[in-house]
Amino acid sequence: MPRSSQAPPRPHAGQTCPQSMSHYLPGEARATAQQPPMQDVVVQLFSHRTIVEPIQVPAVLEPLLVLVLAGAARVEERAPGGQWSAATVRAGDFFLTDTHEPYEMRWQTLEGEQFEVMHLYLGLPLIDQAARELLGPQSTAVALRDVSGAHDDTVRWLMEKLHHELVEQRQPSPLCVRGLAQALAVHLVRHYRDRQDAVRRSNALPAYKLRRVIEAMDAQLADDFSLAQLARTAELSEYHFSRMFKRATGLSPSQYFIGLRMARARRLLIETQRSVIDIGLEVGYSSPSHFSQVFRREVGITPSAYRQA
């Protein structure tokens, strides 16, 4: 029988960036080769086991493609509190998500204990460039349809080539990666454009700056929160950074920072035997009582109770 695991509840499920998605997914993140520095292409690999209890997945600013690389699973999705929709997927099938709202997922592996997937995030500039080329220079930003468990030979071929370049090549070529990503963006706009949805992205923090800021937050969870330092990372004034960050994620920078702290604390409580005091110190709380107070406020129970549950 497949081994079940349960993801911890997420107190904040607004929007996030690709680099933080591993905080929300219970699967094992697989190592990849050193990716060339690019703003508009992010690739991640995951190995997933059966998930019985629903997990809440935050939306991302950029379109997300998920290609099943190996194995098979029955995947269920829904809007929070809505009706479940199910798809049985095997190697070569894909998901496309361009929603601006969080959603819930659960899955049952069908062949063996796990299945392998590749996440590909395409930067909005690539999508916008494809839209201008296909629809004219005056075209506004486009949205893509959500697709669950479909098969498209072109999507599969392009994503497999990206996987080969980024994972199997010792020195991945940024030129090759960008060319494949551009071809994929054109294909998506041609065949998966949502003609009913108009996208409004004005006055939100650009996705590449959001990634940069959240990477800085992740690296500094043990430090005091510094709005000024994050604003400098985004190359904005504190006032404009705060407004644009909240438009992009639905949360203030300080709220998001606390959410990242709690996400790491939950993971450490589940995956390690370290003491609650040590975990609190790692995520920036020198006082155990303060850590327990914040954890209970954000998660709903104390750290010790969460570990036991």
Side-chain angles (χ1 to χ4, degrees), residues 26-262:
E28 176 186 353
R30 293 166 49 199
T32 62
Q34 182 65 38
Q35 295 185 25
M38 296 189 66
Q39 290 183 351
D40 299 330
V41 181
V42 176
V43 170
Q44 298 168 332
L45 304 177
F46 290 94
S47 178
H48 289 305
R49 297 180 183 272
T50 291
I51 300 299
V52 176
E53 296 297 326
I55 61 171
Q56 195 168 52
V57 183
V60 291
L61 291 179
E62 300 141 311
L64 165 62
L65 279 159
V66 179
L67 179 71
V68 180
L69 297 173
R74 174 181 168 83
V75 180
E76 295 180 284
E77 301 173 293
R78 71 176 181 182
Q83 295 295 314
W84 289 104
S85 61
T88 299
V89 296
R90 290 181 167 80
D93 293 337
F94 80 99
F95 294 79
L96 171 61
T97 303
D98 194 21
T99 181
H100 299 284
E101 300 295 333
Y103 57 99
E104 294 182 328
M105 294 186 71
R106 62 188 181 192
W107 52 80
Q108 172 77 41
T109 58
L110 301 177
E111 298 172 0
E113 287 198 353
Q114 58 191 29
F115 68 108
E116 313 286 338
V117 299
M118 168 184 171
H119 284 205
L120 171 65
Y121 299 86
L122 287 176
L124 296 176
L126 286 176
I127 302 297
D128 291 344
Q129 182 183 28
R132 288 193 299 271
E133 180 182 84
L134 296 172
L135 307 175
Q138 304 305 316
S139 66
T140 57
V142 301
L144 302 175
R145 292 186 286 112
D146 287 345
V147 179
S148 297
H151 192 93
D152 183 315
D153 287 336
T154 300
V155 169
R156 178 179 185 175
W157 187 87
L158 288 168
M159 290 188 70
E160 286 180 343
K161 291 297 182 184
L162 278 164
H163 178 272
H164 176 81
E165 184 66 29
L166 287 170
V167 176
E168 299 180 28
Q169 292 293 337
R170 180 175 299 179
Q171 293 183 321
S173 163
L175 184 63
C176 179
V177 170
R178 185 168 184 84
L180 291 167
Q182 286 174 323
L184 189 54
V186 168
H187 182 76
L188 294 178
V189 173
R190 275 179 174 160
H191 298 281
Y192 297 98
R193 179 162 59 99
D194 187 346
R195 301 175 186 274
Q196 306 301 317
D197 188 17
V199 179
R200 294 179 176 86
R201 304 185 194 126
S202 60
N203 297 321
L205 193 66
Y208 76 93
K209 286 193 175 185
L210 180 64
R211 287 201 297 267
R212 188 188 306 161
V213 167
I214 294 179
E215 285 173 356
M217 287 184 176
D218 267 326
Q220 299 162 8
L221 293 183
D223 301 333
D224 291 338
F225 174 78
S226 172
L227 180 65
Q229 185 174 347
L230 294 174
R232 286 195 296 272
T233 300
E235 300 175 331
L236 293 167
S237 69
E238 293 182 30
Y239 173 74
H240 285 99
F241 167 67
S242 294
R243 291 181 61 195
M244 295 173 74
F245 187 95
K246 188 166 186 177
R247 285 198 177 104
T249 66
L251 299 170
S252 71
S254 61
Q255 289 173 322
Y256 199 98
F257 185 72
I258 291 172
L260 289 179
R261 279 180 163 181
M262 295 302 103

